Amino acid sequence: MLVSTLPALQLIYDTAPIGLACLSPDCRYLLINQRLTEICGISIEGHLGRTVRDCVPALADSVEQIVRSIVATGEPVIGIEVAGQRADQVEERSWVTYWHPLRMPDGEIVAVNVAAEEITERKRAEREIRSARDAAETALRHLRDIQDTLIEAEKLAALGRMVAGVAHEINTPLGSSLTVASTLQRKAEQFAAEVARGNLKRSTLTGFLELVSDASAQLVTNLGRAAERVQSFKQVAADQTESLRRSFDAGELTGQVLSQFERQLRVRDIAFSLHCESNLAMDSYPGPFGQVLTNLAVNAMTHAFSDGETGTINVSLRAVNDDHVELLFADDGCGMAPDVERRAFDPFFTTRRHDGASGLGLHIVHSIVVDRLGGQLRLESLPGAGTRFQLILPRMAPDRR
């Protein structure tokens, strides 16, 4: 019965676009088409009647195991991948194979049909895709490392600008204190000389006591101002370097951070106004919050009022409801063109790269507001009409651990 069906099978085999073979239970080739002979480079006549072990010894153990399994269980075996290399070829080729039992009318398994579809090109494409994906992931990791480094550098640069501002703010009261102390020292020496000569007058004593009282008051005021600046700077610097979560008053922190820019704004003749509601308690990240304020201030001075232009910066902070506060940072500077506004938060995008701008300032602002503080950020700007940033921040920041 099997012999009578072989010519019909051979016709199917010869016209099939994939490799086909018919194996006896002892793994001898009963039929095979030209497509499948490409695996080992042996002709159809060279296969017929011979065993798999004779023709493809490298695959013999696997083939014999599959055939035995099909004969024993009657179940087909599907999707087995096979890789091989002909002696006269360098490249390894791959196939996916499907194995089905060939039965007699009484159900007896008398042969096994094998179909092999070559997937060499698909495998090659998969390898190329994996290689390209690995290269892209490596490049992405490298880019993220560079971006993280640049962001840290930008933070340190902002901290450096803050240090410069604080140094000036401290120098002013300390300079005044030094002048008062020098005057007091000189008057004290003159007073001591008069006492030593024994001709101290009541008016001299009264004048000296008044001088001491006035100088002491000035010293207390100036040194207190300097100490307040130092304490403010210590807290802001600690917040920006550690980025720890804590409870704070948003209005007080806003005033502390933006006070570091008072000298720069005065020197550039940029008017500044700050209006903060009281009792704006937040449980959030004061360091990133301060970084946002610092970057917005630097952005305004760099872009809104470039080339010595003057204008006004208005900052306000108010409660939106019990759970959120609104921070508005607005200037009446040069504004942004629509295409610049669309890309304002893109990393490394800047219109003043020739001035040393990194293009990370507003990108850091967006990342902190949205990803770290859990807030929302909106930008409105028109050429010649200034720029306005609206930040809606939750009083209780989300847990980003």
Side-chain angles (χ1 to χ4, degrees):
M1 179 70 179
L2 176 61
V3 175
S4 63
T5 62
L6 292 181
L9 284 174
Q10 186 65 60
L11 179 61
I12 296 174
Y13 278 26
D14 291 340
T15 57
I18 61 175
L20 295 173
C22 182
L23 298 175
S24 65
D26 61 352
C27 293
R28 292 183 179 276
Y29 287 99
L30 303 177
L31 288 175
I32 189 169
N33 69 350
Q34 186 64 41
R35 181 68 172 158
L36 195 58
T37 62
E38 296 178 4
I39 295 179
C40 57
I42 302 175
S43 66
I44 292 178
E45 293 77 9
H47 277 86
L48 297 179
R50 300 177 65 189
T51 65
V52 172
R53 191 168 294 277
D54 293 333
C55 299
V56 281
L59 303 176
D61 290 338
S62 299
V63 172
E64 290 173 354
Q65 182 179 354
I66 293 173
V67 171
R68 285 196 300 268
S69 171
I70 293 175
V71 172
T73 65
E75 296 295 328
V77 176
I78 298 173
I80 302 297
E81 290 192 8
V82 176
Q85 179 180 346
R86 285 171 43 170
D88 59 342
Q89 293 180 343
V90 177
E91 181 185 16
E92 184 179 77
R93 301 167 71 178
S94 301
W95 294 264
V96 59
T97 59
Y98 306 87
W99 309 69
H100 291 82
L102 182 62
R103 303 175 185 272
M104 297 293 288
D106 60 0
E108 178 187 1
I109 298 175
V110 294
V112 173
N113 277 321
V114 184
E117 179 184 2
E118 185 166 2
I119 55 173
T120 303
E121 291 301 322
R122 190 180 78 187
K123 285 290 186 180
R124 182 186 296 111
E126 290 175 353
R127 288 194 298 270
E128 291 175 353
I129 291 173
R130 282 195 299 269
S131 178
R133 182 188 62 196
D134 293 342
E137 290 177 350
T138 300
L140 180 59
R141 286 194 299 269
H142 183 58
L143 179 60
R144 285 175 175 168
D145 290 341
I146 294 175
Q147 182 171 334
D148 290 341
T149 301
L150 291 174
I151 287 174
E152 290 304 316
E154 181 72 16
K155 290 181 179 179
L156 292 175
L159 198 59
R161 290 188 290 267
M162 188 187 304
V163 169
V166 169
H168 183 272
E169 294 296 329
I170 293 176
N171 281 336
T172 300
L174 287 183
S176 299
S177 298
L178 181 60
T179 301
V180 172
S182 299
T183 301
L184 182 60
Q185 181 184 27
R186 187 174 62 257
K187 291 295 184 181
E189 291 173 352
Q190 295 174 357
F191 180 78
E194 292 192 21
V195 170
R197 287 194 298 269
N199 58 354
L200 180 65
K201 298 179 181 179
R202 186 180 184 86
S203 59
T204 303
L205 177 60
T206 302
F208 180 71
L209 293 177
E210 289 177 352
L211 174 65
V212 170
S213 177
D214 184 56
S216 299
Q218 291 187 50
L219 287 173
V220 169
T221 299
N222 287 327
L223 294 178
R225 180 184 173 191
E228 182 180 316
R229 290 295 190 188
V230 170
Q231 184 61 35
S232 172
F233 171 69
K234 284 173 60 180
Q235 184 61 64
V236 172
D239 285 338
Q240 291 201 12
T241 53
E242 297 177 6
S243 298
L244 299 178
R245 180 174 188 146
R246 66 176 175 88
S247 297
F248 59 93
D249 185 280
E252 291 181 3
L253 180 61
T254 300
Q256 290 175 353
V257 173
L258 295 180
S259 67
Q260 320 303 331
F261 297 96
E262 289 179 354
R263 181 185 66 86
Q264 299 178 55
L265 294 171
R266 284 197 305 270
V267 170
R268 298 183 54 176
D269 196 22
I270 299 174
F272 175 73
S273 67
L274 175 62
H275 302 283
C276 296
E277 292 183 359
S278 58
N279 300 320
L280 294 179
M282 295 183 69
D283 183 355
S284 187
Y285 300 91
F289 184 95
Q291 183 71 45
V292 167
L293 292 168
T294 298
N295 285 19
L296 289 176
V298 172
N299 181 77
M301 290 188 290
T302 303
H303 299 281
F305 304 111
S306 60
D307 302 325
E309 298 174 358
T310 62
T312 302
I313 295 177
N314 296 303
V315 180
S316 64
L317 192 66
R318 69 179 184 89
V320 178
N321 49 45
D322 293 339
D323 300 323
H324 294 82
V325 298
E326 178 192 59
L327 172 67
L328 294 178
F329 196 106
D331 65 68
D332 59 358
C334 63
M336 303 181 189
D339 59 326
V340 174
E341 181 182 357
R342 283 194 301 270
R343 302 182 60 190
F345 298 117
D346 291 352
F348 309 110
F349 173 74
T350 179
T351 58
R352 302 190 67 83
R353 195 172 303 279
H354 59 281
D355 291 334
S358 66
L360 285 171
L362 291 184
H363 173 66
I364 293 174
V365 168
H366 186 276
S367 297
I368 291 176
V369 171
V370 176
D371 299 331
R372 190 69 182 274
L373 303 181
Q376 302 173 20
L377 176 61
R378 184 181 180 186
L379 166 63
E380 295 177 354
S381 185
L382 289 172
T387 300
R388 180 176 180 269
F389 295 90
Q390 180 191 40
L391 286 68
I392 304 296
L393 304 173
R395 293 195 179 202
M396 178 74 69
D399 191 351
R400 298 301 193 192
R401 288 177 296 177

